[in-house]
Amino acid sequence: MPYIDVKLAGKINIEQRREIAKGISDVIYEVAGKPRDSIYITFTEFDRTNWAKGYNILSDMDAKEGKS
């Protein structure tokens, strides 16, 4: 029973979740031979104020780059 936790800085919609889950399931099936219905995938979303790259908080980096 494979278990994959996809961690994201920011939000994705349900269609994106479906597409990612399908892609991951296909790869695990093709590479490891695990049945798709035995694969568990979770999505963990973090607010960009709670994630850093080095010493830079992602939301600060977004503000500097003019992203919202």
Side-chain angles (χ1 to χ4, degrees):
M1 167 181 83
Y3 168 78
I4 297 97
D5 183 24
V6 178
K7 295 184 186 300
L8 302 154
K11 304 276 184 196
I12 58 172
N13 64 43
I14 190 70
E15 282 305 315
Q16 291 168 313
R17 289 170 191 260
R18 287 185 182 113
E19 212 171 309
I20 291 167
K22 181 184 180 316
I24 289 170
S25 295
D26 288 347
V27 167
I28 298 295
Y29 171 75
E30 291 164 12
V31 175
K34 301 297 181 184
R36 288 177 179 91
D37 62 356
S38 73
I39 301 165
Y40 288 85
I41 302 166
T42 60
F43 295 90
T44 306
E45 296 176 331
F46 294 90
D47 188 281
R48 292 178 69 83
T49 59
N50 295 324
W51 198 303
K53 181 178 179 186
Y55 57 84
N56 295 299
I57 302 297
L58 294 186
S59 60
D60 293 342
M61 293 170 63
D62 294 343
K64 288 178 187 173
E65 296 173 7
K67 298 177 186 176
S68 45

